[in-house]
Amino acid sequence: MNTPPTGPLTGTVIVTGTDTGVGKTVVTAAIAACATASGLRVAVVKPGQTGVDPAYGEVSDEEVVRHLAGPATTRTLASYPDPLAPLAAARVAHLQPLDLYTVVDEVKRQAADHDLVLVEGAGGLLVPMGPRLADIPGGGSWTVADVAVSLGAPAVVVARAGLGTLNHTALTLEALDRRGVSGLVVLGAWPAEPELVHLTNLDDLPGDLHGLLPDGAGSMEPGVFRRSAPGWLTETLYGSCEDPRMLAEDDY
């Protein structure tokens, strides 16, 4: 088992999820807000954004993070109109797909000027991001896991609170561990009125829990979000929460 970090994370950190819609963007914003408040210069990089149409009032993940957390720098490297995995979205739209080395090089550039670089993936850990080049073994496509390996970066795994999360979280952590990448777990949306399944999942959740965000955190006014975020995350993620499981007993 790969040893998880014991102190506050610096350098590059991958934010991935057990699936799509688990709260990666809001968790990314919470970490960025906490680190920024701690005096760090923070950059947030989104390699591939899909399924956002400004004509319908939709906002990108980068815009959400910028609005909620106000980090020093935010970047989206490629955007595709269809709500698909980035590789498929690029193919359907006849647009240039993402290149792994372009992403890695851009993250390294940001790391040279920032204390912390958060790289937010798309969907889950092994979602196809772009075509795998001939000199990378395995064929097929590259994933956010490849970014973590290339950069030697730990990963924050954002998970659901409800049914199915135990299996999905265990599989994601196992995939990271096989690649020598440490994983920290954060629950992306804890319900205001948890049911039995949420409470038992909290007891049985695999991995080290380093955060628990209340459902609806992304709808908070930015000032409230930034003041509240430290209470949701452990010191490893620049928060002040000693035990995120205790937050489940609070009345949000």
Side-chain angles (χ1 to χ4, degrees):
M1 179 67 69
N2 201 36
T3 304
T6 56
L9 298 180
T10 56
T12 299
V13 177
I14 308 299
V15 183
T16 187
T18 56
D19 199 356
T20 188
V22 295
K24 290 188 303 299
T25 300
V26 179
V27 169
T28 300
I31 299 171
C34 291
T36 298
S38 297
L40 273 68
R41 183 171 169 81
V42 180
V44 176
V45 177
K46 179 79 174 182
Q49 174 73 65
T50 65
V52 172
D53 188 345
Y56 290 94
E58 298 170 343
V59 297
S60 68
D61 294 343
E62 177 186 352
E63 292 173 296
V64 171
V65 171
R66 191 164 57 240
H67 172 72
L68 289 174
T73 302
T74 59
R75 288 289 312 280
T76 299
L77 305 188
S79 297
Y80 307 108
D82 296 291
L84 305 168
L87 178 56
R91 184 174 65 247
V92 168
H94 303 289
L95 295 172
Q96 183 72 25
L98 281 161
D99 172 69
L100 172 61
Y101 295 124
T102 298
V103 173
V104 169
D105 288 346
E106 175 59 28
V107 173
K108 288 180 178 179
R109 279 193 291 271
Q110 296 298 333
D113 295 325
H114 297 81
D115 304 301
L116 179 66
V117 181
L118 301 172
V119 183
E120 185 194 345
L125 179 69
L126 301 183
V127 164
M129 298 292 292
R132 190 182 293 272
L133 300 180
D135 61 337
I136 303 178
S141 58
W142 64 270
T143 70
V144 172
D146 294 305
V147 179
V149 172
S150 297
L151 294 168
V156 172
V157 177
V158 184
R160 299 185 192 280
L163 193 65
T165 198
L166 300 182
N167 180 59
H168 294 162
T169 304
L171 287 172
T172 302
L173 291 173
E174 181 176 313
L176 287 169
D177 189 62
R178 288 183 61 188
R179 292 164 171 81
V181 178
S182 60
L184 315 176
V185 180
V186 174
L187 289 180
W190 184 259
E193 298 182 0
E195 300 176 1
L196 179 61
V197 65
H198 302 112
L199 298 172
T200 56
N201 280 349
L202 192 62
D203 289 335
D204 299 331
L205 193 70
D208 296 317
L209 186 64
H210 282 265
L212 185 152
L213 273 64
D215 191 19
S219 299
M220 290 180 175
E221 189 273 333
V224 175
F225 182 90
R226 296 174 196 182
R227 289 192 298 272
S228 302
W232 305 330
L233 303 172
T234 66
E235 291 183 357
T236 303
L237 299 178
Y238 295 91
S240 59
C241 179
E242 294 184 2
D243 183 2
R245 285 177 169 83
M246 296 299 294
L247 298 176
E249 300 178 3
D250 291 347
D251 182 9
Y252 292 114

